[in-house]
Amino acid sequence: GQSLEQPSEVTAVEGAIVQINCTYQTSGFYGLSWYQQHDGGAPTFLSYNALDGLEETGRFSSFLSRSDSYGYLLLQELQMKDSASYFCAVIANSGNTPLVFGKGTRLSVIA
Amino acid sequence: DAGITQSPRYKITETGRQVTLMCHQTWSHSYMFWYRQDLGHGLRLIYYSAAADITDKGEVPDGYVVSRSKTENFPLTLESATRSQTSVYFCASSEGGGIYNEQFFGPGTRLTVL
C-alpha cells in the first residue's frame, strides 16, 4: 500500500517563506503532485515532480528526492491568500493508477 | 458551461434512502474520479473510471455504486445511505491517468445523512 506523511498545520508570517514537507512510502513510485484547497473550495493542481530536483512556478516551488522518498512544497513571499490546505499526492504501483492523497497541511498566514 | 459540474451542491437525506450525486464534464476527459473528504482523512478515492463502461474501486468503495455510460457523466449512487456517509464529495476528471495528468475537481457536494 501507500502512505504519505505531512504536517497537519503550519503557521507563517506574511512575506516569509514556508516549506511543507511530504514523506511517502509506496510500492513503486511514479511521481509526486501538490494540490491547494481553500476553505469551502475544490482542490486545484499546483505542481508535479517525476524526477529529482526543484520545479519552480512563480512563488511556488516543489522538490523531490526519490532516494529519500521525500518532497516539499516551498511557498515564497507569502500572501494572506495563500492560507489554505495543501495536499501531496503520489502515483504508485503503475503509471495509470489513481493518485493517493496525503491528509493535508493547513497553512495559516498571519500578518 | 465549460468545465466540471456537480449536482446537487447540498443534499440532506435520511438513513436508508438512495441518493445519486451527479458529475458532468465538458472536456471529454477519459478519466473521472469520485472522492470523499472528511476532517482528518484528506481526500479518499471511492471509485474511478478510465473510460466509458470501465470503472474500478478505490480506497473506500463500500456502500457506493457508479456507472459511466457516457464519457461526460459519472454518477455516484449511495444505495442505502448511512450516517457515516455524511461527507463532502468531490468529482474530478483528467485527460489521462498518471502523475502528469492534472486532475480538475468539481465544486463538491455536501451530503448530510440524518
Side-chain angles (χ1 to χ4, degrees):
Chain A
Q2 293 82 247
S3 68
L4 297 94
E5 294 290 330
Q6 51 181 131
S8 58
E9 295 183 1
V10 172
T11 300
V13 177
E14 191 176 16
I17 299 172
V18 71
Q19 179 174 311
I20 299 173
N21 298 321
C22 175
T23 58
Y24 58 87
Q25 289 185 326
T26 63
S27 51
F29 177 80
Y30 283 79
L32 184 72
S33 285
W34 289 92
Y35 284 75
Q36 178 192 58
Q37 184 181 28
H38 287 99
D39 285 349
T44 57
F45 174 82
L46 289 176
S47 69
Y48 76 82
N49 296 70
L51 302 175
D52 286 358
L54 192 68
E55 296 283 343
E56 298 181 63
T57 309
R59 294 188 298 113
F60 293 5
S61 303
S62 56
F63 172 82
L64 175 65
S65 169
R66 295 168 67 110
S67 60
D68 295 323
S69 298
Y70 164 74
Y72 65 72
L73 181 68
L74 191 73
L75 294 81
Q76 302 182 74
E77 301 173 15
L78 280 172
Q79 302 175 9
M80 301 300 284
K81 67 179 182 179
D82 297 329
S83 293
S85 292
Y86 293 84
F87 296 88
C88 59
V90 296
I91 284 207
N93 299 324
S94 68
N96 284 323
T97 53
L99 289 173
V100 175
F101 284 84
K103 294 182 179 180
T105 299
R106 185 176 183 85
L107 170 65
S108 298
V109 180
I110 59 175
Chain B
D1 290 337
I4 182 165
T5 56
Q6 294 182 235
S7 62
R9 294 291 315 278
Y10 302 90
K11 177 73 176 178
I12 299 174
T13 191
E14 295 178 337
T15 301
R17 290 192 181 266
Q18 183 179 84
V19 177
T20 296
L21 309 184
M22 304 301 293
C23 180
H24 175 78
Q25 52 103 357
T26 61
W27 295 302
S28 298
H29 283 168
S30 296
Y31 280 74
M32 295 188 75
F33 309 85
W34 274 107
Y35 295 91
R36 60 177 290 173
Q37 187 172 38
D38 307 288
L39 276 174
H41 289 280
L43 290 157
R44 292 184 292 174
L45 183 67
I46 304 170
Y47 270 96
Y48 69 104
S49 169
D53 297 323
I54 300 174
T55 62
D56 212 341
K57 295 179 180 179
E59 180 186 356
V60 289
D62 293 344
Y64 303 95
V65 174
V66 294
S67 63
R68 194 161 175 214
S69 57
K70 293 184 177 181
T71 299
E72 61 266 31
N73 297 323
F74 192 38
L76 176 74
T77 298
L78 289 67
E79 293 191 301
S80 178
T82 65
R83 289 195 181 88
S84 66
Q85 292 177 310
T86 293
S87 187
V88 180
Y89 290 85
F90 286 101
C91 177
S93 72
S94 65
E95 190 171 344
I99 199 73
Y100 304 97
N101 290 277
E102 173 183 351
Q103 286 192 15
F104 296 86
F105 284 79
T109 295
R110 185 174 294 275
L111 176 67
T112 301
V113 182
L114 301 177

